[in-house]
Amino acid sequence: GRGIYYPAALECALKMKEVTYLHAEGMSAGFLKHGTISLIDEHMYTIVLMPSPEEKELHALTRTSAEEVRARGGFVLGFRFEDDDKVEGLFSEEVVLPRVPPLLAPFLHLLAGQLLAYFLAVLLKRDVDRPRALVRVCVDEARDVGGQIRNQHVAVLEDAVAFSVVDGVPVALDAVGLAVVDAGEVERK
């Protein structure tokens, strides 16, 4: 990804790691020449989030980066929009997305990247509903007039453990009841 597509690339790589357990890196296509290009060979797989053709400069720069990967023998999976004739034959394989306004394009790439991660994880027989080592945490804070955190509630959803900080005192909440814990640490039972 490049420009606004860079955060989409980061999120797609994160999802790929979370559910497939394969290494993935999201990066700006502009970073390619800063060392990454030296890693490209026939064993390196690259996913390119091709901007909409209406985004002329981003499109041209991203196309150049994809060409550099292909020139070094790298496999390139391109996520491109239909009717984008400027990238015909550029990609090893491609996912053709329906044309949308440029403002929505990064969201479509994000969705397609997450679906790719999901289906690859299913193909690899990974448990996509409960990825290993993924802890889900929700934080809710209440601040006083001075901006200091007065009450904080944290729920660790994976283990159904929760704790709150009430007036600076950590309090663990579980099925048994309340227990005061020291230094804000919650230990697993």
Side-chain angles (χ1 to χ4, degrees):
R2 185 185 286 269
I4 191 65
Y5 297 89
Y6 174 46
L10 291 174
E11 180 60 28
C12 290
L14 179 64
K15 189 57 65 185
M16 186 70 71
K17 288 184 276 195
E18 284 177 353
V19 298
T20 67
Y21 317 136
L22 298 174
H23 178 75
E25 279 186 63
M27 68 177 56
S28 171
F31 294 171
L32 196 60
K33 292 186 179 182
H34 297 281
T36 307
I37 197 80
S38 65
L39 300 174
I40 304 295
D41 62 16
E42 65 277 1
H43 304 292
M44 176 67 71
Y45 293 88
T46 303
I47 297 173
V48 173
L49 307 181
M50 184 57 69
S52 170
E54 288 88 13
E55 300 172 274
K56 293 181 185 349
E57 184 179 358
L58 273 180
H59 189 276
L61 292 169
T62 304
R63 187 177 65 242
T64 299
S65 295
E67 289 167 348
E68 289 184 28
V69 172
R70 285 298 303 268
R72 286 163 178 76
F75 179 94
V76 179
L77 172 62
F79 286 20
R80 70 169 183 91
F81 293 98
E82 60 189 2
D83 302 327
D84 184 354
D85 57 353
K86 294 179 181 173
V87 294
E88 288 288 324
L90 175 61
F91 304 119
S92 309
E93 294 290 336
E94 58 187 25
V95 175
V96 181
L97 305 171
R99 175 100 23 149
V100 295
L103 187 61
L104 297 177
F107 296 106
L108 199 55
H109 279 295
L110 182 59
L111 179 61
Q114 289 180 338
L115 285 171
L116 174 68
Y118 171 82
F119 286 113
L120 183 57
V122 169
L123 183 69
L124 294 169
K125 299 187 185 328
R126 309 292 197 241
D127 185 355
V128 293
D129 293 321
R130 294 188 57 83
R132 68 180 182 212
L134 181 65
V135 177
R136 293 175 175 89
V137 178
C138 297
V139 178
D140 182 26
E141 295 178 348
R143 296 182 180 267
D144 64 17
V145 178
Q148 297 294 320
I149 296 175
R150 179 166 171 75
N151 298 321
Q152 184 178 50
H153 176 74
V154 178
V156 182
L157 304 175
E158 189 73 19
D159 297 321
V161 172
F163 72 92
S164 290
V165 178
V166 180
D167 292 328
V169 179
V171 178
L173 309 169
D174 59 21
V176 177
L178 295 175
V180 176
V181 293
D182 67 330
E185 294 184 20
V186 175
E187 296 181 20
R188 289 185 167 183
K189 296 184 178 187

